[in-house]
Amino acid sequence: MAGGRICSPLLVLLICTVLAIAAARGEAEEGNLVPKASFFPFGMKALADYVHSKGLKLGIYGDAGTLTCAKTMPGSLGYEEQDANTFASWGIDYLKYDNCHNKGVSPQERGQDNPATWAPSIGNSWRTTGDIKDTWDSMTARADLNDQWASYAGPGGWNDPDMLEVGNGGMSKEEYRSHFSIWALAKAPLILGCDLRSMDNDTLEILGNKEVIAVNQDKLGIQGKKVKKNGELEVWAGELSGKRVAVMLWNRGDSKATITAEWSEIGLKSSATVDARDLWEHTTTHSLQNQIQATLQSHACKMYILTPQ
């Protein structure tokens, strides 16, 4: 079930190659998964070694049922420990584990039904939503669903509202900026869902924004959340290391609008004097008091790091 995937371990924004298991169980191999020779003629260990030589990490896709969701490859039901040992022997760094064709085994064993409440002892991230689509409505809905579980996330265990759609063409540049910003603020896994070979300059600019990525990777690991909503105008915020605050002003409406965040609404002392770093414009405004405000086009956002002086 889409809402119950568990991933372990997650290496955020290193390009993590997620492969469908092109394998079968070989009788001569005592039921071990065997790579499909036409896909991987040199075997999985050789592939992992090659990927690691490039400074990247290698991921693989598995399933807790009898078959993968597409019914094309074997799942791990009844072979869990055996398959885990096989993946380890191949040098796999990341496992994305689905839950199709599970024969009705209990949810906690098979990865569905609100995994944020029980999965931290099993994996390093878990899906909090159904599958995302490359549309504004799908992206915003998943941001809201993921926000409900903010208190369960932290270092070593992250809420996952599904992969990034940035660069796939279904949204505007401003909408993709909002998408990347809210995923970063929510400390979501930044797994790229576009074709890396054909990214345009706008996509590279968004996905390569080191200041936004730094919010996602902040060592406190506190998930930012929605703190204010006025119709379609929203403020999201979260604490960062160094007594800083990340804040996002987000216009989800259909027309231009002004959004204001008061210090008290985002976790700052009302008397604070603050430097505001605009993470998309790469500019700093000094000595702000009481609030931060921006006028935004439809579906656009502003993202800041606020540092009290």
Side-chain angles (χ1 to χ4, degrees):
M1 186 171 181
R5 291 175 182 158
I6 300 172
C7 303
S8 172
L10 186 62
L11 300 153
V12 180
L13 220 70
L14 294 171
I15 299 173
C16 187
T17 306
V18 181
L19 305 170
I21 297 175
R25 296 199 183 276
E27 293 181 6
E29 299 289 336
E30 298 180 345
N32 290 326
L33 289 171
V34 178
K36 190 173 182 179
S38 60
F39 281 25
F40 307 108
F42 301 105
M44 296 300 292
K45 180 64 167 63
L47 177 63
D49 290 345
Y50 174 77
V51 171
H52 293 156
S53 76
K54 301 298 183 182
L56 303 175
K57 303 295 182 180
L58 183 67
I60 202 164
Y61 170 82
D63 192 277
T66 57
L67 294 168
T68 56
C69 290
K71 300 182 181 180
T72 57
M73 297 295 164
S76 293
L77 185 62
Y79 295 88
E80 289 85 355
E81 185 172 357
Q82 186 172 347
D83 289 355
N85 289 334
T86 296
F87 297 151
S89 72
W90 288 346
I92 301 298
D93 302 289
Y94 173 102
L95 171 63
K96 181 177 181 180
Y97 205 48
D98 221 324
N99 190 40
C100 295
H101 314 296
N102 58 32
K103 294 188 173 181
V105 181
S106 67
Q108 282 70 19
E109 292 182 55
R110 297 299 165 213
Q112 60 193 62
D113 290 0
N114 304 332
T117 63
W118 54 264
S121 64
I122 300 171
N124 295 112
S125 69
W126 44 84
R127 284 282 297 280
T128 54
T129 72
D131 291 348
I132 194 171
K133 296 180 180 178
D134 186 21
T135 67
W136 172 257
D137 288 344
S138 177
M139 181 272 288
T140 54
R142 272 133 199 83
D144 291 337
L145 289 168
N146 189 63
D147 187 49
Q148 300 175 50
W149 305 103
S151 63
Y152 292 89
W158 312 102
N159 291 320
D160 178 12
D162 206 4
M163 69 180 68
L164 292 161
E165 294 288 350
V166 179
N168 282 330
M171 289 183 261
S172 69
K173 181 178 180 179
E174 288 295 345
E175 290 170 342
Y176 279 141
R177 275 189 177 182
S178 294
H179 182 11
F180 195 58
S181 297
I182 205 69
W183 259 236
L185 184 69
K187 306 300 188 293
L190 300 181
I191 301 176
L192 310 189
C194 65
D195 189 335
L196 304 184
R197 301 167 299 177
S198 58
M199 291 190 293
D200 61 21
N201 290 334
D202 285 345
T203 300
L204 286 169
E205 177 193 342
I206 293 169
L207 296 177
N209 188 321
K210 294 181 179 180
E211 295 192 75
V212 175
I213 294 168
V215 171
N216 181 263
Q217 296 288 286
D218 184 74
K219 64 183 180 181
L220 279 187
I222 294 175
Q223 179 172 326
K225 58 187 179 181
K226 190 184 304 187
V227 298
K228 181 180 180 180
K229 178 176 173 63
N230 181 14
E232 295 298 313
L233 309 181
E234 297 183 352
V235 177
W236 295 59
E239 183 182 358
L240 300 176
S241 57
K243 298 183 179 180
R244 301 170 301 153
V245 173
V247 60
M248 179 174 166
L249 309 181
W250 196 9
N251 179 7
R252 292 170 56 165
D254 295 329
S255 57
K256 187 176 180 180
T258 299
I259 304 176
T260 303
E262 305 287 344
W263 289 172
S264 60
E265 296 169 334
I266 57 177
L268 291 171
K269 293 182 179 179
S270 297
S271 60
T273 299
V274 170
D275 290 342
R277 178 67 175 177
D278 187 320
L279 304 189
W280 287 110
E281 296 298 326
H282 306 294
T283 59
T284 302
T285 302
H286 298 284
S287 302
L288 287 178
Q289 295 182 328
N290 304 317
Q291 64 182 32
I292 191 164
Q293 185 179 84
T295 299
L296 300 171
Q297 298 294 334
S298 171
H299 294 186
C301 74
K302 282 284 190 179
M303 191 174 188
Y304 304 95
I305 290 179
L306 305 182
T307 305
Q309 294 180 6

